[in-house]
Amino acid sequence: MKNIITKPKEQPRRCCSIIIVGELINASIKPVRRAVMERDAGYLQDLARRQAAKGAHYLDVNVSTGRGDENQEAEDMAWAVETVQAAVDLPIAIDTTSAAALQAGLEAHRGEAMINSVSAEKERLEPFLDIAAGYGGPLAALPVTDSGIPATAEERLDVCRVIVDKAAAAGIDAARLYFDPLVLPLGVDHRNPGITLETLRGIKQIPEVKSIMGLSNVSYGLPKRQLINRAFLVLAAREGLDAVLLNPLDGGMMGSLLAAEALLGRDEMCMQLLRAYRKGLLDEGQ
Amino acid sequence: MDYYKELSTAVQNGDPNKVESIISRALKEGYRANDLLDNGLMSGIEVVGEKFGRNEMFIPEVMMSAKCLQCGMDKLKPLFTAGGRKLRGSLVIGTVAGDVHDLGKNLVSMMFTANGFDVVDLGVDVAPERFAEAVEKYKPDFLGLSALLTTTMSQMSKTVAYLRDKNPNRSYKIIVGGAPVTEEFAAEIGADYYADNAIEAVELARSVMEGN
């Protein structure tokens, strides 16, 4: 398999117009948690290289292990960011709920990181916006408040608008905001995906802001999860999703995404689809 | 007609209307509430639990079956108190402070109710003090702590420590669970048990109660 990010000086060519954030470096996955705790650089770097080779534009890094305090997570984040960027020439999505870890991650980062994520929770909103104001790069935002996830699309959009205003007050351009419409499991309530897509449509109506989604929660508790994730990705692409967290090693997922983009008329003469095919990015399996 | 088998099948198929109508008919014909619960509803949910464990049934189906149990229990409950039926055990449950996720906790809550436990659900974002008050008040056999975020796992550990300080010789058992929680972590913070999912939690509680 040829690595598509081989020439460090050249800006890597995107394999599709939706930004792909590789989700695999996350300490809630048990082997990753172990690697973070034992400072197993090789393990993280291997995961990073494999996701980069499959076309990820950003790599999500979450090092929240549940041990120690905020300082521990900050220390882990700085280590992980440096470790991953030593292996691949990609920006990182710094995935944390801790302001200290966010700060440490941004300081360790080369180039413009994505911040994942701010929310409307009291302890998170202003501290995160204050930090984000000092850096460039995309800022993922969750319409979650201290009372949890709003039930309806309209309530979620109200929270999005609050975040837009607060961001503006902190000097952050709305164009940097990537709102997550919040994905809840289909298996728990069959109306959940519909509410997510309705929220996504609403986000697309807010001037300048963009959208991002984590897919895998949708299929919780159901068999053939990958199938459900892929179908949901296609539906969201139709609504104009701008960025997505997914497992780039799932060739079926990347294939569904590229096929959807071509079908939606966003891939002139199917060039990106065919390029991806020749690079083996459309092959099923790991 | 074998009402027990019919009832068990209706629970497995997730058909609450059928559960209610079978119970009504059976009661009219003189069947005892206790027997309908044990031989009908419970035997049905046991099959569901086994199939869930083998990936032959899935969350939406388990939820429908649990709903059947709940409907059945609602119909039978007034008759139990008259006959003095003893519940299988009791559980106080909640999601720890700072965490507002309720899905996993609700599933556990449902499965325990469905299995004949008396359940007090404290909701989400529950402070250690509230857990302490609740165990004092309800004197449960089990306390369930749920956390979905790696960041609130520390609250889980604080809660267990707080409860230990309050009452070093507590008689109830603490079960912890949630996506980021591991068996190793449960042991580390001094919880009694770890359960990977709702079915496992209820099976664990049942085996503990039977051992008593």
Side-chain angles (χ1 to χ4, degrees), chain A residues 186 203 221 230 275 282:
Chain A
L186 165 65
I203 290 168
R230 289 172 208 168
R275 202 160 50 232
L282 307 185

Side-chain angles (χ1 to χ4, degrees), chain A residues 187-205:
Chain A
V188 172
D189 188 330
H190 62 277
R191 293 163 299 190
N192 278 335
I195 295 169
T196 301
L197 292 173
E198 193 190 336
T199 309
L200 177 55
R201 277 192 288 279
I203 290 168
K204 298 299 290 183
Q205 302 298 314

Side-chain angles (χ1 to χ4, degrees), chain B residues 36-189:
Chain B
L36 290 172
L37 177 64
D38 290 334
N39 305 332
L41 296 176
M42 290 302 176
S43 96
I45 205 74
E46 263 162 42
V47 176
V48 171
E50 283 160 19
K51 288 189 171 175
F52 179 73
R54 291 197 302 263
N55 278 333
E56 288 168 22
M57 282 182 79
F58 300 94
I59 299 260
E61 294 166 319
V62 174
M63 287 176 73
M64 285 309 289
S65 294
K67 192 173 176 199
C68 287
L69 254 279
Q70 219 126 27
C71 287
M73 286 289 272
D74 287 346
K75 269 188 103 69
L76 295 175
K77 225 176 200 163
L79 303 165
F80 296 150
T81 33
R85 182 187 168 85
K86 203 182 164 319
L87 283 153
R88 210 186 282 266
S90 57
L91 169 79
V92 167
I93 189 169
T95 305
V96 298
D99 200 325
V100 294
H101 293 87
D102 61 359
L103 168 63
K105 170 197 59 84
N106 290 350
L107 278 171
V108 174
S109 197
M110 245 162 36
M111 286 310 298
F112 272 76
T113 308
N115 276 276
F117 281 79
D118 194 14
V119 176
V120 177
D121 188 336
L122 301 176
V124 297
D125 191 14
V126 179
E129 297 78 8
R130 279 188 58 213
F131 279 117
E133 279 163 29
V135 292
E136 187 62 32
K137 182 170 170 196
Y138 298 106
K139 311 227 176 309
D141 299 303
F142 300 95
L143 173 67
L145 302 179
S146 171
L148 193 85
L149 303 172
T150 46
T151 47
T152 49
M153 283 165 76
S154 57
Q155 280 298 333
M156 198 171 248
S157 125
K158 275 184 203 157
T159 304
V160 175
Y162 182 87
L163 293 168
R164 187 173 41 228
D165 288 349
K166 274 259 155 189
N167 181 3
N169 307 310
R170 61 182 165 75
S171 57
Y172 58 90
K173 300 291 183 193
I174 298 178
I175 309 178
V176 296
V181 180
T182 61
E183 188 147 23
E184 178 195 10
F185 176 78
E188 217 172 275
I189 65 169

Side-chain angles (χ1 to χ4, degrees), chain A:
Chain A
M1 181 64 48
K2 243 181 101 185
N3 192 321
I4 62 162
I5 331 280
T6 44
K7 297 177 200 154
K9 291 250 165 69
E10 201 177 282
Q11 196 61 11
R13 179 154 57 171
R14 286 239 185 107
C15 71
C16 64
S17 63
I18 293 182
I19 296 172
I20 294 165
V21 184
E23 69 183 4
L24 295 179
I25 303 179
N26 189 314
S28 68
I29 304 167
K30 281 156 198 173
V32 176
R33 180 171 187 263
R34 180 205 59 79
V36 171
M37 290 173 61
E38 295 172 8
R39 292 285 185 266
D40 183 349
Y43 188 86
L44 288 200
Q45 291 178 333
D46 177 55
L47 266 184
R49 284 193 197 98
R50 283 159 63 205
Q51 294 183 91
K54 290 292 187 181
H57 307 126
Y58 284 84
L59 297 181
D60 192 73
V61 170
N62 177 319
V63 293
S64 177
T65 55
R67 65 166 172 161
D69 53 11
E70 265 209 335
N71 294 330
Q72 179 69 56
E73 194 188 335
E75 208 176 287
D76 290 345
M77 183 61 88
W79 172 78
V81 166
E82 276 165 18
T83 301
V84 169
Q85 285 201 314
V88 295
D89 202 14
L90 281 184
I92 285 169
I94 297 172
D95 183 353
T96 181
T97 55
S98 146
L102 174 63
Q103 185 72 52
L106 286 167
E107 279 168 16
H109 192 270
R110 237 181 327 110
E112 272 185 353
M114 179 186 286
I115 294 172
N116 184 20
S117 54
V118 67
S119 77
E121 290 156 292
K122 246 194 215 89
E123 283 183 18
R124 208 148 136 207
L125 181 57
E126 281 174 10
F128 270 51
L129 290 177
D130 285 346
I131 294 170
Y135 293 85
L139 175 54
L142 314 178
V144 176
T145 69
D146 287 314
S147 33
I149 295 178
T152 67
E154 207 32 66
E155 291 167 291
R156 289 180 199 179
L157 292 167
D158 285 341
V159 181
C160 290
R161 286 185 278 262
V162 169
I163 295 175
V164 171
D165 291 345
K166 290 274 185 190
I172 295 166
D173 201 353
R176 280 180 64 195
L177 294 174
Y178 281 69
F179 281 108
D180 187 329
L182 303 176
V183 177
L184 294 178
L186 165 65
V188 172
D189 188 330
H190 62 277
R191 293 163 299 190
N192 278 335
I195 295 169
T196 301
L197 292 173
E198 193 190 336
T199 309
L200 177 55
R201 277 192 288 279
I203 290 168
K204 298 299 290 183
Q205 302 298 314
I206 304 174
E208 292 183 75
V209 307
K210 301 188 184 71
S211 54
I212 188 167
M213 237 165 69
L215 283 178
S216 46
N217 208 23
V218 76
S219 56
Y220 172 80
L222 291 172
K224 300 278 179 200
R225 292 189 65 168
Q226 299 298 3
L227 172 67
I228 295 158
N229 294 347
R230 289 172 208 168
F232 196 47
L233 176 58
V234 171
L235 292 172
R238 170 74 182 79
E239 300 299 341
L241 184 69
D242 298 288
V244 62
L245 261 105
L246 52 71
N247 172 6
L249 306 190
D250 177 358
M253 184 82 89
M254 296 296 278
S256 298
L257 180 54
L258 289 162
E261 292 222 298
L263 290 164
L264 289 165
R266 297 175 194 159
D267 180 9
E268 202 175 331
M269 298 308 288
C270 307
M271 286 300 154
Q272 70 178 19
L273 182 73
L274 296 174
R275 202 160 50 232
Y277 163 72
R278 295 215 167 77
K279 284 181 173 157
L281 296 185
L282 307 185
D283 297 344
E284 302 262 341
Q286 306 277 312

